[in-house]
Amino acid sequence: VVLTVFPNYLKITQELHVRTINLPIADRLRDLRQVDLNNLIKVTGVVTRRTSVFPMMKAIAYDCNGCGTTVGPYKDSLKPGNCPSCNG
């Protein structure tokens, strides 16, 4: 699109830098979730400090390697002893 409007742009530089502005929705920094990963988002807020990400598991399910049955979801991180379908 840029070269259509500005056909001589490649004579100026080989790189193209884009700035996206005025995204319609702005989220608060505290409202960011995993679904926001790999998406372009707009945030508002002030960063006063930062730490590593601490994942918070809400539920977990296990797949049996023997028969492929999905066991769970469980609210805690305790792994079941045996598969209820094949006792594997």
Side-chain angles (χ1 to χ4, degrees), residues 12-69:
I12 300 170
T13 182
Q14 297 295 318
E15 295 180 1
L16 177 66
H17 299 276
V18 177
R19 178 179 293 171
T20 304
I21 59 172
N22 295 329
L23 288 175
I25 298 173
D27 294 327
R28 295 180 337 137
L29 285 174
R30 292 187 178 266
D31 294 335
L32 295 180
R33 298 290 175 252
Q34 184 178 0
V35 296
D36 297 318
L37 290 175
N38 300 320
N39 289 311
L40 182 63
I41 59 171
K42 178 180 178 181
V43 294
T44 58
V46 177
V47 177
T48 56
R49 64 187 159 135
R50 64 177 185 85
T51 61
S52 299
V53 175
F54 299 106
M56 297 171 54
M57 181 175 55
K58 296 186 184 222
I60 188 166
Y62 295 96
D63 293 330
C64 176
N65 289 333
C67 66
T69 301

